[in-house]
Amino acid sequence: MKKTFLLCLSCFIGCFYGCTKGELDRINTDPTKSTPENFDPNFLLPTAQLKFANKGYYQLLYQSTMMQLLSSTYYYYNNGDKYINVANFTDYQGRIFDEGYAEASGIREMQRLAREKDPNAYKNLINIGDIVFVMILQRITDTYGDVPYHQAGKAREGIKYPVYDTQEDIYNSMLTDLETAIKNLDPAAPGVTADLFYKGDLTKWRKFGYSLMLRIAMRLTKVDPEKARIWAEKAAAGGTFTDNNDNTFISMDASSFNSQNGTSLALRTLSDYREVRWSKTLIDQLRNTADPRLSVIGEIPAEGFANNNNQNLSGNPDPLIQKGLPNGYDLLGGTTDIRNHPEYPGGTGNGTDLAPLGKYSRPRTSVYLKLGGPVFLMTYGETELLLAEAAVRNWKVKGSATEHFSNGVKAALQSLAQVDPQANITMEKVNAYVKAQKLDQSSTEKSLEMINMQYWISTGTTFNFIEAWLNWKRSGYPRLTPVNYPGNVTNGTIPRRMIYLSTEILNNPDQYKAAVSRLPGGDALTSRVWWDQ
């Protein structure tokens, strides 16, 4: 009897304990939190997309002024405007490396979770992940040269010191990986959610993939023109962008803006707004060709210095009065002081004018100075211009060089309305400009110059300065006169790359040193990456 009682008591206590433990687990589990079982890998895609797009500030410090699209006299922008490594700012040169690999790791983690949960259900997400991974890695390798590719984002697999692949190997892999991913997109499989680019539209993703393939192929025109031809023709046959509705951009949310969430364009603070101007190189080009973009991108502060300090006061957009600020000048009172420039507008000419930048064209405030606008990554106009170049090179693409060039110029003008409706250019002005800018095919060189000049303007006026720089390195157009400011670190030449992330020499020393040894000139701004030889 005693044994029976103890047995029953033991069972009761066991059952009570088990029920209580289960109840406690339920009570202590936050139903709003994700778990490995209920987490949706789709949620990681927009994070990578947003962070990839959020490079406006670094472009402002370097590529915008290096490419003589923007200009500034303020010392903060001397890095790009005058090729001077301003103290404590060189760290920004490594941000594309540092943040790029964080984005790439997020994509690889997304794919890992998707494969673990259900590779068939997440088939399209996995393949879109490969496309985005290639997009991220192209920017990284084009900026620095040899970088990790095959072992990138694999820390979870125990790879702490990823191998720096050669850029040639990276390009071979990007092209084949991209082709595979595009072909594996499956309309019959479940769709992708939370996609900031195309809302899961696989038709647009396919066109994006082939447009990216074209961009990658064209980077090879100097170093391997035959491979460039093969892949450019493959991209054209696959089907690239067909109109501005295919443009790749992210519209930022001003209500939730902070330095981590992203910014619509490079200008995001009052100091940037006060100190940055359109470059004389760009404004002169637009004026000399009667480009209608001049009337929508720039303005002169109507009330001088007072307006220059008030971001809520618009300026005068009259194209006849726009004046670009020359690159390479300062406000230090010497020969490089902009107030002593022979063409300084309406000043004393003795370096004593107190409102110098109010006399030059700034990016139009109602168009560019906002936190809720778009960040452009790739456009139909740019793609058409690359197809025009392919046609000039007598590669097999549908349509003539003239047709693609006209399409590209027209699309570039019309895409400004996506930056802001106030930048809309009437069809009458668009058509008149396109007609006046008929492609000059008297020589291959002249055609290439016209095509890549338009590419420079298009990427510059949509604030895609990194792409403007990369295509300039590849094409050599426009022919820019470098700044030779006292104390510059490039011997008066425009930088060809950024320096690696400074911590790499500590975190991955052997691979870093091997990569640097393969760079002609070492880890310097003047060294050239493989395809830029």
mmCIF file of all heavy atoms in Angstrom, residues 145-187:
data_model
loop_
_atom_site.group_PDB
_atom_site.id
_atom_site.type_symbol
_atom_site.label_atom_id
_atom_site.label_comp_id
_atom_site.label_asym_id
_atom_site.label_seq_id
_atom_site.Cartn_x
_atom_site.Cartn_y
_atom_site.Cartn_z
ATOM 1 N N GLY A 145 39.895 46.266 -56.313
ATOM 2 C CA GLY A 145 40.707 45.302 -57.044
ATOM 3 C C GLY A 145 40.452 43.892 -56.553
ATOM 4 O O GLY A 145 39.300 43.445 -56.480
ATOM 5 N N ASP A 146 41.515 43.168 -56.195
ATOM 6 C CA ASP A 146 41.386 41.805 -55.687
ATOM 7 C C ASP A 146 40.729 41.835 -54.303
ATOM 8 O O ASP A 146 41.184 42.555 -53.404
ATOM 9 C CB ASP A 146 42.756 41.131 -55.577
ATOM 10 C CG ASP A 146 43.440 40.964 -56.920
ATOM 11 O OD1 ASP A 146 42.810 41.269 -57.958
ATOM 12 O OD2 ASP A 146 44.606 40.538 -56.929
ATOM 13 N N VAL A 147 39.681 41.049 -54.138
ATOM 14 C CA VAL A 147 38.948 40.981 -52.868
ATOM 15 C C VAL A 147 38.389 39.568 -52.704
ATOM 16 O O VAL A 147 38.360 38.790 -53.662
ATOM 17 C CB VAL A 147 37.781 42.004 -52.824
ATOM 18 C CG1 VAL A 147 38.295 43.434 -52.846
ATOM 19 C CG2 VAL A 147 36.811 41.752 -53.981
ATOM 20 N N PRO A 148 37.937 39.190 -51.511
ATOM 21 C CA PRO A 148 37.303 37.886 -51.348
ATOM 22 C C PRO A 148 36.001 37.790 -52.149
ATOM 23 O O PRO A 148 35.186 38.722 -52.135
ATOM 24 C CB PRO A 148 37.015 37.811 -49.842
ATOM 25 C CG PRO A 148 37.995 38.753 -49.227
ATOM 26 C CD PRO A 148 38.138 39.870 -50.211
ATOM 27 N N TYR A 149 35.814 36.684 -52.839
ATOM 28 C CA TYR A 149 34.568 36.427 -53.558
ATOM 29 C C TYR A 149 34.004 35.060 -53.178
ATOM 30 O O TYR A 149 32.953 34.954 -52.563
ATOM 31 C CB TYR A 149 34.763 36.509 -55.073
ATOM 32 C CG TYR A 149 33.478 36.305 -55.857
ATOM 33 C CD1 TYR A 149 32.634 37.388 -56.104
ATOM 34 C CD2 TYR A 149 33.103 35.052 -56.334
ATOM 35 C CE1 TYR A 149 31.442 37.223 -56.813
ATOM 36 C CE2 TYR A 149 31.914 34.875 -57.045
ATOM 37 C CZ TYR A 149 31.089 35.945 -57.280
ATOM 38 O OH TYR A 149 29.908 35.778 -57.965
ATOM 39 N N HIS A 150 34.741 34.005 -53.514
ATOM 40 C CA HIS A 150 34.223 32.660 -53.274
ATOM 41 C C HIS A 150 34.075 32.336 -51.789
ATOM 42 O O HIS A 150 33.200 31.557 -51.407
ATOM 43 C CB HIS A 150 35.114 31.625 -53.955
ATOM 44 C CG HIS A 150 35.112 31.730 -55.452
ATOM 45 N ND1 HIS A 150 36.123 32.379 -56.138
ATOM 46 C CD2 HIS A 150 34.227 31.305 -56.374
ATOM 47 C CE1 HIS A 150 35.850 32.333 -57.432
ATOM 48 N NE2 HIS A 150 34.706 31.698 -57.606
ATOM 49 N N GLN A 151 34.907 32.923 -50.955
ATOM 50 C CA GLN A 151 34.827 32.656 -49.522
ATOM 51 C C GLN A 151 34.183 33.810 -48.752
ATOM 52 O O GLN A 151 34.185 33.807 -47.523
ATOM 53 C CB GLN A 151 36.226 32.372 -48.972
ATOM 54 C CG GLN A 151 36.839 31.092 -49.517
ATOM 55 C CD GLN A 151 38.186 30.783 -48.894
ATOM 56 O OE1 GLN A 151 38.751 31.561 -48.140
ATOM 57 N NE2 GLN A 151 38.712 29.602 -49.214
ATOM 58 N N ALA A 152 33.608 34.766 -49.462
ATOM 59 C CA ALA A 152 32.972 35.913 -48.798
ATOM 60 C C ALA A 152 31.690 35.474 -48.100
ATOM 61 O O ALA A 152 30.912 34.669 -48.623
ATOM 62 C CB ALA A 152 32.659 36.995 -49.822
ATOM 63 N N GLY A 153 31.470 36.001 -46.910
ATOM 64 C CA GLY A 153 30.234 35.729 -46.182
ATOM 65 C C GLY A 153 30.122 34.319 -45.647
ATOM 66 O O GLY A 153 29.020 33.813 -45.458
ATOM 67 N N LYS A 154 31.252 33.676 -45.380
ATOM 68 C CA LYS A 154 31.221 32.287 -44.920
ATOM 69 C C LYS A 154 31.862 32.109 -43.546
ATOM 70 O O LYS A 154 32.422 31.061 -43.240
ATOM 71 C CB LYS A 154 31.909 31.384 -45.943
ATOM 72 C CG LYS A 154 31.163 31.311 -47.273
ATOM 73 C CD LYS A 154 31.767 30.278 -48.209
ATOM 74 C CE LYS A 154 30.950 30.161 -49.492
ATOM 75 N NZ LYS A 154 31.497 29.135 -50.407
ATOM 76 N N ALA A 155 31.756 33.131 -42.715
ATOM 77 C CA ALA A 155 32.309 33.027 -41.361
ATOM 78 C C ALA A 155 31.628 31.921 -40.571
ATOM 79 O O ALA A 155 32.254 31.243 -39.752
ATOM 80 C CB ALA A 155 32.153 34.363 -40.642
ATOM 81 N N ARG A 156 30.336 31.705 -40.816
ATOM 82 C CA ARG A 156 29.605 30.651 -40.122
ATOM 83 C C ARG A 156 30.186 29.270 -40.430
ATOM 84 O O ARG A 156 30.068 28.342 -39.622
ATOM 85 C CB ARG A 156 28.121 30.695 -40.514
ATOM 86 C CG ARG A 156 27.256 29.649 -39.836
ATOM 87 C CD ARG A 156 25.821 29.772 -40.286
ATOM 88 N NE ARG A 156 25.166 30.899 -39.665
ATOM 89 C CZ ARG A 156 24.542 30.849 -38.495
ATOM 90 N NH1 ARG A 156 24.525 29.729 -37.816
ATOM 91 N NH2 ARG A 156 23.961 31.914 -38.005
ATOM 92 N N GLU A 157 30.825 29.160 -41.601
ATOM 93 C CA GLU A 157 31.431 27.888 -41.992
ATOM 94 C C GLU A 157 32.865 27.771 -41.473
ATOM 95 O O GLU A 157 33.576 26.830 -41.824
ATOM 96 C CB GLU A 157 31.401 27.740 -43.510
ATOM 97 C CG GLU A 157 29.993 27.753 -44.098
ATOM 98 C CD GLU A 157 30.004 27.718 -45.606
ATOM 99 O OE1 GLU A 157 30.984 27.192 -46.184
ATOM 100 O OE2 GLU A 157 29.032 28.217 -46.227
ATOM 101 N N GLY A 158 33.286 28.730 -40.673
ATOM 102 C CA GLY A 158 34.610 28.667 -40.076
ATOM 103 C C GLY A 158 35.701 29.346 -40.879
ATOM 104 O O GLY A 158 36.882 29.227 -40.541
ATOM 105 N N ILE A 159 35.320 30.066 -41.955
ATOM 106 C CA ILE A 159 36.319 30.751 -42.781
ATOM 107 C C ILE A 159 36.536 32.150 -42.217
ATOM 108 O O ILE A 159 35.774 33.086 -42.485
ATOM 109 C CB ILE A 159 35.875 30.809 -44.250
ATOM 110 C CG1 ILE A 159 35.697 29.393 -44.796
ATOM 111 C CG2 ILE A 159 36.889 31.590 -45.095
ATOM 112 C CD1 ILE A 159 35.177 29.334 -46.218
ATOM 113 N N LYS A 160 37.577 32.305 -41.409
ATOM 114 C CA LYS A 160 37.869 33.580 -40.769
ATOM 115 C C LYS A 160 38.797 34.454 -41.611
ATOM 116 O O LYS A 160 38.836 35.670 -41.439
ATOM 117 C CB LYS A 160 38.500 33.345 -39.401
ATOM 118 C CG LYS A 160 37.600 32.605 -38.416
ATOM 119 C CD LYS A 160 38.302 32.425 -37.078
ATOM 120 C CE LYS A 160 37.413 31.700 -36.081
ATOM 121 N NZ LYS A 160 38.087 31.502 -34.767
ATOM 122 N N TYR A 161 39.560 33.824 -42.482
ATOM 123 C CA TYR A 161 40.538 34.571 -43.282
ATOM 124 C C TYR A 161 40.294 34.274 -44.759
ATOM 125 O O TYR A 161 41.030 33.505 -45.383
ATOM 126 C CB TYR A 161 41.955 34.185 -42.875
ATOM 127 C CG TYR A 161 42.183 34.253 -41.381
ATOM 128 C CD1 TYR A 161 42.263 33.096 -40.607
ATOM 129 C CD2 TYR A 161 42.296 35.480 -40.737
ATOM 130 C CE1 TYR A 161 42.452 33.160 -39.239
ATOM 131 C CE2 TYR A 161 42.487 35.557 -39.367
ATOM 132 C CZ TYR A 161 42.558 34.390 -38.619
ATOM 133 O OH TYR A 161 42.738 34.458 -37.270
ATOM 134 N N PRO A 162 39.248 34.862 -45.330
ATOM 135 C CA PRO A 162 38.892 34.551 -46.719
ATOM 136 C C PRO A 162 39.983 34.930 -47.709
ATOM 137 O O PRO A 162 40.658 35.951 -47.567
ATOM 138 C CB PRO A 162 37.627 35.376 -46.947
ATOM 139 C CG PRO A 162 37.705 36.481 -45.952
ATOM 140 C CD PRO A 162 38.370 35.885 -44.750
ATOM 141 N N VAL A 163 40.141 34.102 -48.706
ATOM 142 C CA VAL A 163 41.125 34.332 -49.764
ATOM 143 C C VAL A 163 40.699 35.526 -50.618
ATOM 144 O O VAL A 163 39.535 35.680 -50.967
ATOM 145 C CB VAL A 163 41.263 33.072 -50.639
ATOM 146 C CG1 VAL A 163 42.112 33.364 -51.880
ATOM 147 C CG2 VAL A 163 41.848 31.925 -49.830
ATOM 148 N N TYR A 164 41.654 36.381 -50.941
ATOM 149 C CA TYR A 164 41.423 37.472 -51.882
ATOM 150 C C TYR A 164 41.561 36.898 -53.296
ATOM 151 O O TYR A 164 42.669 36.618 -53.751
ATOM 152 C CB TYR A 164 42.454 38.577 -51.691
ATOM 153 C CG TYR A 164 42.152 39.568 -50.596
ATOM 154 C CD1 TYR A 164 41.864 39.158 -49.300
ATOM 155 C CD2 TYR A 164 42.187 40.933 -50.845
ATOM 156 C CE1 TYR A 164 41.614 40.081 -48.289
ATOM 157 C CE2 TYR A 164 41.948 41.866 -49.848
ATOM 158 C CZ TYR A 164 41.659 41.427 -48.568
ATOM 159 O OH TYR A 164 41.414 42.329 -47.577
ATOM 160 N N ASP A 165 40.439 36.729 -53.978
ATOM 161 C CA ASP A 165 40.488 36.243 -55.357
ATOM 162 C C ASP A 165 40.994 37.348 -56.277
ATOM 163 O O ASP A 165 40.805 38.536 -56.011
ATOM 164 C CB ASP A 165 39.091 35.812 -55.809
ATOM 165 C CG ASP A 165 38.518 34.710 -54.931
ATOM 166 O OD1 ASP A 165 38.992 33.570 -55.045
ATOM 167 O OD2 ASP A 165 37.606 34.998 -54.120
ATOM 168 N N THR A 166 41.624 36.959 -57.374
ATOM 169 C CA THR A 166 42.038 37.962 -58.351
ATOM 170 C C THR A 166 40.793 38.539 -59.020
ATOM 171 O O THR A 166 39.766 37.867 -59.148
ATOM 172 C CB THR A 166 42.958 37.374 -59.418
ATOM 173 O OG1 THR A 166 42.224 36.426 -60.207
ATOM 174 C CG2 THR A 166 44.165 36.687 -58.789
ATOM 175 N N GLN A 167 40.888 39.775 -59.436
ATOM 176 C CA GLN A 167 39.724 40.390 -60.065
ATOM 177 C C GLN A 167 39.327 39.663 -61.348
ATOM 178 O O GLN A 167 38.140 39.563 -61.667
ATOM 179 C CB GLN A 167 39.992 41.865 -60.366
ATOM 180 C CG GLN A 167 38.731 42.595 -60.808
ATOM 181 C CD GLN A 167 38.931 44.080 -60.952
ATOM 182 O OE1 GLN A 167 39.773 44.536 -61.722
ATOM 183 N NE2 GLN A 167 38.145 44.864 -60.216
ATOM 184 N N GLU A 168 40.289 39.128 -62.055
ATOM 185 C CA GLU A 168 39.965 38.365 -63.260
ATOM 186 C C GLU A 168 39.098 37.155 -62.910
ATOM 187 O O GLU A 168 38.092 36.884 -63.583
ATOM 188 C CB GLU A 168 41.247 37.906 -63.963
ATOM 189 C CG GLU A 168 40.986 37.140 -65.250
ATOM 190 C CD GLU A 168 42.261 36.778 -65.991
ATOM 191 O OE1 GLU A 168 43.356 36.966 -65.417
ATOM 192 O OE2 GLU A 168 42.162 36.313 -67.150
ATOM 193 N N ASP A 169 39.470 36.427 -61.863
ATOM 194 C CA ASP A 169 38.665 35.279 -61.434
ATOM 195 C C ASP A 169 37.297 35.727 -60.947
ATOM 196 O O ASP A 169 36.287 35.045 -61.180
ATOM 197 C CB ASP A 169 39.388 34.513 -60.330
ATOM 198 C CG ASP A 169 40.595 33.741 -60.840
ATOM 199 O OD1 ASP A 169 40.675 33.516 -62.066
ATOM 200 O OD2 ASP A 169 41.466 33.381 -60.014
ATOM 201 N N ILE A 170 37.265 36.849 -60.260
ATOM 202 C CA ILE A 170 35.988 37.363 -59.762
ATOM 203 C C ILE A 170 35.053 37.668 -60.919
ATOM 204 O O ILE A 170 33.858 37.323 -60.891
ATOM 205 C CB ILE A 170 36.210 38.617 -58.897
ATOM 206 C CG1 ILE A 170 36.944 38.245 -57.609
ATOM 207 C CG2 ILE A 170 34.886 39.299 -58.577
ATOM 208 C CD1 ILE A 170 37.417 39.448 -56.807
ATOM 209 N N TYR A 171 35.567 38.309 -61.956
ATOM 210 C CA TYR A 171 34.726 38.642 -63.104
ATOM 211 C C TYR A 171 34.223 37.391 -63.815
ATOM 212 O O TYR A 171 33.060 37.324 -64.236
ATOM 213 C CB TYR A 171 35.464 39.586 -64.051
ATOM 214 C CG TYR A 171 35.032 41.018 -63.837
ATOM 215 C CD1 TYR A 171 35.447 41.713 -62.707
ATOM 216 C CD2 TYR A 171 34.170 41.654 -64.711
ATOM 217 C CE1 TYR A 171 35.030 43.014 -62.471
ATOM 218 C CE2 TYR A 171 33.746 42.957 -64.495
ATOM 219 C CZ TYR A 171 34.178 43.626 -63.367
ATOM 220 O OH TYR A 171 33.740 44.898 -63.128
ATOM 221 N N ASN A 172 35.070 36.400 -63.948
ATOM 222 C CA ASN A 172 34.617 35.144 -64.561
ATOM 223 C C ASN A 172 33.481 34.531 -63.749
ATOM 224 O O ASN A 172 32.471 34.067 -64.305
ATOM 225 C CB ASN A 172 35.781 34.158 -64.659
ATOM 226 C CG ASN A 172 36.816 34.573 -65.689
ATOM 227 O OD1 ASN A 172 36.507 35.296 -66.636
ATOM 228 N ND2 ASN A 172 38.050 34.147 -65.507
ATOM 229 N N SER A 173 33.627 34.542 -62.437
ATOM 230 C CA SER A 173 32.615 33.943 -61.563
ATOM 231 C C SER A 173 31.337 34.771 -61.546
ATOM 232 O O SER A 173 30.231 34.217 -61.546
ATOM 233 C CB SER A 173 33.165 33.791 -60.144
ATOM 234 O OG SER A 173 34.252 32.889 -60.115
ATOM 235 N N MET A 174 31.459 36.084 -61.504
ATOM 236 C CA MET A 174 30.262 36.927 -61.486
ATOM 237 C C MET A 174 29.394 36.684 -62.716
ATOM 238 O O MET A 174 28.171 36.578 -62.619
ATOM 239 C CB MET A 174 30.648 38.410 -61.405
ATOM 240 C CG MET A 174 31.160 38.852 -60.044
ATOM 241 S SD MET A 174 31.222 40.653 -59.828
ATOM 242 C CE MET A 174 32.310 41.150 -61.166
ATOM 243 N N LEU A 175 30.031 36.591 -63.861
ATOM 244 C CA LEU A 175 29.270 36.412 -65.094
ATOM 245 C C LEU A 175 28.560 35.057 -65.135
ATOM 246 O O LEU A 175 27.375 34.976 -65.469
ATOM 247 C CB LEU A 175 30.189 36.575 -66.300
ATOM 248 C CG LEU A 175 30.663 38.015 -66.565
ATOM 249 C CD1 LEU A 175 31.835 38.041 -67.527
ATOM 250 C CD2 LEU A 175 29.508 38.869 -67.096
ATOM 251 N N THR A 176 29.268 34.004 -64.776
ATOM 252 C CA THR A 176 28.638 32.674 -64.808
ATOM 253 C C THR A 176 27.610 32.517 -63.692
ATOM 254 O O THR A 176 26.544 31.920 -63.901
ATOM 255 C CB THR A 176 29.700 31.569 -64.695
ATOM 256 O OG1 THR A 176 30.497 31.779 -63.526
ATOM 257 C CG2 THR A 176 30.612 31.582 -65.913
ATOM 258 N N ASP A 177 27.893 33.053 -62.501
ATOM 259 C CA ASP A 177 26.927 32.980 -61.402
ATOM 260 C C ASP A 177 25.663 33.754 -61.742
ATOM 261 O O ASP A 177 24.544 33.314 -61.431
ATOM 262 C CB ASP A 177 27.538 33.544 -60.114
ATOM 263 C CG ASP A 177 28.616 32.651 -59.534
ATOM 264 O OD1 ASP A 177 28.779 31.510 -60.020
ATOM 265 O OD2 ASP A 177 29.313 33.096 -58.593
ATOM 266 N N LEU A 178 25.838 34.891 -62.376
ATOM 267 C CA LEU A 178 24.694 35.713 -62.752
ATOM 268 C C LEU A 178 23.841 35.002 -63.803
ATOM 269 O O LEU A 178 22.609 34.968 -63.708
ATOM 270 C CB LEU A 178 25.190 37.055 -63.285
ATOM 271 C CG LEU A 178 24.160 38.145 -63.555
ATOM 272 C CD1 LEU A 178 23.347 38.449 -62.309
ATOM 273 C CD2 LEU A 178 24.860 39.412 -64.053
ATOM 274 N N GLU A 179 24.502 34.419 -64.795
ATOM 275 C CA GLU A 179 23.765 33.706 -65.838
ATOM 276 C C GLU A 179 22.943 32.562 -65.243
ATOM 277 O O GLU A 179 21.765 32.370 -65.594
ATOM 278 C CB GLU A 179 24.738 33.167 -66.880
ATOM 279 C CG GLU A 179 24.067 32.423 -68.022
ATOM 280 C CD GLU A 179 25.055 31.923 -69.060
ATOM 281 O OE1 GLU A 179 26.172 31.526 -68.660
ATOM 282 O OE2 GLU A 179 24.720 31.923 -70.255
ATOM 283 N N THR A 180 23.542 31.811 -64.337
ATOM 284 C CA THR A 180 22.841 30.690 -63.710
ATOM 285 C C THR A 180 21.643 31.171 -62.902
ATOM 286 O O THR A 180 20.551 30.598 -62.971
ATOM 287 C CB THR A 180 23.799 29.906 -62.800
ATOM 288 O OG1 THR A 180 24.886 29.395 -63.581
ATOM 289 C CG2 THR A 180 23.078 28.747 -62.117
ATOM 290 N N ALA A 181 21.842 32.222 -62.135
ATOM 291 C CA ALA A 181 20.762 32.735 -61.288
ATOM 292 C C ALA A 181 19.586 33.228 -62.124
ATOM 293 O O ALA A 181 18.419 32.968 -61.790
ATOM 294 C CB ALA A 181 21.287 33.857 -60.397
ATOM 295 N N ILE A 182 19.869 33.922 -63.215
ATOM 296 C CA ILE A 182 18.795 34.433 -64.078
ATOM 297 C C ILE A 182 17.999 33.269 -64.660
ATOM 298 O O ILE A 182 16.759 33.283 -64.662
ATOM 299 C CB ILE A 182 19.371 35.301 -65.206
ATOM 300 C CG1 ILE A 182 20.047 36.555 -64.641
ATOM 301 C CG2 ILE A 182 18.268 35.709 -66.185
ATOM 302 C CD1 ILE A 182 20.853 37.336 -65.662
ATOM 303 N N LYS A 183 18.699 32.267 -65.139
ATOM 304 C CA LYS A 183 18.024 31.123 -65.764
ATOM 305 C C LYS A 183 17.192 30.331 -64.762
ATOM 306 O O LYS A 183 16.202 29.687 -65.132
ATOM 307 C CB LYS A 183 19.058 30.218 -66.432
ATOM 308 C CG LYS A 183 19.683 30.814 -67.688
ATOM 309 C CD LYS A 183 20.672 29.859 -68.340
ATOM 310 C CE LYS A 183 21.227 30.453 -69.635
ATOM 311 N NZ LYS A 183 22.216 29.546 -70.288
ATOM 312 N N ASN A 184 17.577 30.366 -63.506
ATOM 313 C CA ASN A 184 16.868 29.586 -62.487
ATOM 314 C C ASN A 184 15.690 30.317 -61.856
ATOM 315 O O ASN A 184 14.988 29.739 -61.016
ATOM 316 C CB ASN A 184 17.847 29.160 -61.384
ATOM 317 C CG ASN A 184 18.774 28.050 -61.837
ATOM 318 O OD1 ASN A 184 18.486 27.326 -62.793
ATOM 319 N ND2 ASN A 184 19.905 27.900 -61.166
ATOM 320 N N LEU A 185 15.462 31.566 -62.232
ATOM 321 C CA LEU A 185 14.252 32.247 -61.758
ATOM 322 C C LEU A 185 13.036 31.516 -62.311
ATOM 323 O O LEU A 185 12.959 31.226 -63.509
ATOM 324 C CB LEU A 185 14.243 33.705 -62.223
ATOM 325 C CG LEU A 185 15.311 34.623 -61.601
ATOM 326 C CD1 LEU A 185 15.267 36.006 -62.252
ATOM 327 C CD2 LEU A 185 15.130 34.748 -60.089
ATOM 328 N N ASP A 186 12.090 31.204 -61.434
ATOM 329 C CA ASP A 186 10.991 30.303 -61.798
ATOM 330 C C ASP A 186 9.640 30.925 -61.454
ATOM 331 O O ASP A 186 9.263 31.005 -60.282
ATOM 332 C CB ASP A 186 11.164 28.978 -61.049
ATOM 333 C CG ASP A 186 10.152 27.921 -61.465
ATOM 334 O OD1 ASP A 186 9.304 28.214 -62.338
ATOM 335 O OD2 ASP A 186 10.219 26.810 -60.914
ATOM 336 N N PRO A 187 8.874 31.356 -62.467
ATOM 337 C CA PRO A 187 7.550 31.936 -62.202
ATOM 338 C C PRO A 187 6.591 30.970 -61.530
ATOM 339 O O PRO A 187 5.626 31.402 -60.874
ATOM 340 C CB PRO A 187 7.057 32.319 -63.604
ATOM 341 C CG PRO A 187 8.283 32.405 -64.452
ATOM 342 C CD PRO A 187 9.229 31.389 -63.902
#
